[in-house]
Amino acid sequence: MDRAMADLAVNDSPKDQLTPFGKPMLKHWLFDPAYKNLNHGSFGAHPAAVGAAQRKFLDIADANPDIYVRQQHVVYLDAAREATAKILNAPTDECVFVKNATTGVATVLHNLAFKSNEAVVYFDPVYGAVERGIISLNERNGVQGRKVAFQFPIAEDELVRRFHEVVRHAREVEKLTVRAAVFDTVVSNPGVRFPFERFTAICREEGILSVIDGAHGIGNIHLDLSKLQPDFFTSNCHKWLYTPRSAAVLYVPKRNQHFVRTTLPTSWGFIPAPTSAATKGSVLKDPQVPTAKTPFEELFEFVATSDDSAYLCVPAALKFREEVCGGEDAIISYCERLANDAADAVSAALGTDVLQEPDLKPGEISNMRRCTMTTVRLPLAIDIPSGEEKIQQPEPLATFSAEDALLVEAWIKRTLMDQYKTFVPPFAHGPWLWVRLSAQVYLEKSDFEWLGGVLRDVCERAAKGEYRGN
């Protein structure tokens, strides 16, 4: 089976027509008409056409399981890797697939084989699974996790200063080798763009390996890995690129591929150490068929028996994005603009504010808001300990203890889903509760104007104690 057949598998459907963004776009998606999907950022969603492409791959696999797994799958996989690498402006032989960004970060950190006198620096807030992964590594091999503590909003220069201080203290006071730093492209909660370009350059200057968690990256913001040159980068395709779950790209430049010798779980492509008793080989590889691929590429081709059909849907997703949406520039531009219009509309309805840098000059554009997610403060405060920094804000509708704030958060989630048939994630950050908004091509400003009224009603009900069942 050649590359032409792989292309045919995703491109034999009729050409779709360009569709206006907003409500007209909904006809291409699979949402329940009674549900308003305002939380694309958590689990993503894919168009019906991409779902049809995935079912086609599953049908091919079911028709001839051995032929598919042993011969055809890798051809489809290579076509998907090539398409993904192109949108990232990276070489194909530096891009492979993993199940999700959490797996990508974990794979990198596992392969770096830290020692107990080495440290990995990360930032607070951090995605919970990533922090737990670092703690797990500490329990297994003693690597020292060092967190850059801060609270949004924060000036970028101050964030850089705190990073340098953590690195300095680890090196000079604790006598640790700071080996790696983990940071986001776009933070999950709060949903803001992180200055990842600046920290990638700082890591390079400091001799620290940059491990970028781009869970909200590809399809959300423009990325050029050849220019950025991170040491490691991973990004979910099933969030903003419109593939089915679960699919993520893992980028490792050739200069660092010698670090990566195993997948998670370890599988047939494992690259043994020279002194290892293990032998290299694969149950799927025909030794009579030569390959020009690197060991890194072969490592991720077959990670146990798994449904990897979501990986193969990248070409179909890009086809939809080009033919129906008008291309990457159109999608990203619309979603970023909508995310900011949405935040302004919701904050106006609530009488609160949008999370952004505290030191913006008049007319200056917020870098934190240059993405398809924005974060709005709810008029619900949290009574934090007096020793912690408090932010002076207008009077809240109510102030809750930290314990009650968790109950309020859970109640808001249930109420949005059960009574309003929608969802945006509420969460505590500092002395306030916030919500994260996700823009997408099937949404428009009126959807968020409606949400503003819903959130105002929900906050008023919470302030009256309804979260306790009153």
Side-chain angles (χ1 to χ4, degrees):
M1 179 178 161
D2 59 16
R3 172 59 191 276
M5 292 179 67
D7 290 340
L8 183 63
V10 294
N11 291 323
D12 60 355
S13 59
K15 183 177 177 66
D16 289 307
Q17 291 188 338
L18 193 66
T19 303
F21 292 150
K23 286 182 172 55
M25 185 62 72
L26 281 169
K27 67 181 181 182
H28 295 291
W29 300 76
L30 303 168
F31 304 124
D32 182 339
Y35 187 81
K36 194 180 293 290
N37 192 59
L38 301 179
N39 186 36
H40 190 104
S42 281
F43 307 113
H46 61 270
V50 181
Q54 183 182 34
R55 286 191 295 274
K56 190 177 301 181
F57 289 122
L58 293 173
D59 288 344
I60 295 170
D62 289 338
N64 297 283
D66 272 286
I67 294 173
Y68 172 80
V69 174
R70 296 175 186 275
Q71 295 180 347
Q72 297 175 333
H73 178 266
V74 69
V75 181
Y76 295 133
L77 187 69
D78 288 347
R81 288 197 303 116
E82 183 177 337
T84 308
K86 184 176 181 181
I87 198 172
L88 292 173
N89 193 26
T92 301
D93 60 3
E94 297 182 346
C95 295
V96 294
F97 287 112
V98 292
K99 289 299 181 183
N100 46 55
T102 300
T103 302
V105 172
T107 300
V108 170
L109 296 182
H110 178 83
N111 277 280
L112 288 178
F114 293 97
K115 300 181 177 65
S116 58
N117 66 336
E118 295 178 328
V120 55
V121 175
Y122 62 103
F123 293 79
D124 187 16
V126 59
Y127 188 63
V130 170
E131 181 171 41
R132 285 163 174 77
I134 293 171
I135 294 170
S136 175
L137 283 175
N138 169 260
E139 292 180 357
R140 291 204 308 272
N141 62 22
V143 62
Q144 303 297 307
R146 292 295 179 266
K147 186 188 296 187
V148 180
F150 72 98
Q151 178 183 303
F152 287 114
I154 186 171
E156 190 174 302
D157 286 345
E158 172 61 15
L159 186 56
V160 170
R161 187 197 68 78
R162 294 192 188 194
F163 175 75
H164 279 302
E165 176 57 27
V166 169
V167 171
R168 185 203 65 78
H169 189 272
R171 286 172 170 171
E172 298 179 8
V173 178
E174 299 182 272
K175 306 303 180 183
L176 297 172
T177 298
V178 179
R179 191 144 172 247
V182 181
F183 49 90
D184 300 295
T185 49
V186 177
V187 181
S188 289
N189 277 333
V192 295
R193 182 170 176 145
F194 192 81
F196 64 94
E197 301 97 334
R198 186 170 179 182
F199 278 97
T200 303
I202 290 171
C203 285
R204 190 177 303 117
E205 293 167 1
E206 292 284 344
I208 298 170
L209 293 169
S210 56
V211 182
I212 301 182
D213 179 358
H216 302 276
I218 189 169
N220 183 319
I221 57 178
H222 291 293
L223 292 163
D224 184 340
L225 298 191
S226 291
K227 179 180 179 182
L228 182 65
Q229 282 294 299
D231 289 304
F232 303 94
F233 172 88
T234 186
S235 187
N236 289 322
C237 300
H238 60 256
K239 285 187 183 286
W240 301 98
L241 200 65
Y242 304 165
T243 73
R245 308 172 199 93
S246 299
V249 60
L250 173 61
Y251 162 85
V252 181
K254 292 183 184 67
R255 68 178 184 276
N256 291 329
Q257 288 182 5
H258 65 280
F259 287 118
V260 182
R261 298 195 298 111
T262 183
T263 54
L264 295 180
T266 297
S267 196
W268 288 94
F270 172 66
I271 304 169
T275 57
S276 174
T279 57
K280 181 125 174 31
S282 171
V283 69
L284 299 182
K285 286 293 180 182
D286 185 342
Q288 293 184 324
V289 178
T291 179
K293 291 181 182 175
T294 65
F296 172 73
E297 291 175 283
E298 291 185 335
L299 177 62
F300 289 86
E301 279 185 358
F302 181 72
V303 184
T305 302
S306 173
D307 178 11
D308 296 338
S309 57
Y311 301 170
L312 315 183
C313 293
V314 170
L318 294 179
K319 179 176 183 283
F320 178 89
R321 292 168 74 86
E322 182 63 35
E323 294 180 0
V324 180
C325 302
E328 299 303 307
D329 289 347
I331 295 169
I332 292 174
S333 176
Y334 177 83
C335 291
E336 181 179 321
R337 183 171 63 254
L338 177 58
N340 283 279
D341 288 346
D344 292 339
V346 171
S347 63
L350 296 174
T352 59
D353 46 65
V354 183
L355 189 58
Q356 60 186 28
E357 298 86 344
D359 56 348
L360 284 180
K361 300 178 177 59
E364 189 176 1
I365 297 175
S366 167
N367 186 61
M368 289 169 60
R369 294 173 65 171
R370 287 179 48 233
C371 60
T372 61
M373 297 195 300
T374 45
T375 300
V376 175
R377 182 173 60 83
L378 295 176
L380 304 175
I382 304 171
D383 186 17
I384 61 175
S386 58
E388 297 183 20
E389 180 182 359
K390 293 189 178 184
I391 302 174
Q392 298 300 315
Q393 297 281 8
E395 189 71 20
L397 287 175
T399 300
F400 304 98
S401 67
E403 294 77 11
D404 273 11
L406 291 175
L407 298 177
V408 171
E409 181 183 325
W411 177 82
I412 291 175
K413 291 176 181 178
R414 291 194 306 271
T415 302
L416 289 175
M417 290 187 287
D418 296 345
Q419 298 182 23
Y420 295 96
K421 304 303 179 186
T422 193
F423 189 82
V424 288
F427 58 93
H429 184 66
W432 294 93
L433 285 171
W434 304 74
V435 290
R436 187 192 71 191
L437 312 179
S438 296
Q440 198 42 265
V441 295
Y442 49 76
L443 298 172
E444 52 192 45
K445 187 177 179 180
S446 63
D447 294 312
F448 293 97
E449 291 172 336
W450 170 83
L451 176 67
V454 167
L455 289 174
R456 184 175 62 246
D457 176 61
V458 168
C459 288
E460 289 172 352
R461 291 166 61 185
K464 293 176 182 177
E466 193 169 328
Y467 69 98
R468 288 187 175 277
N470 298 341

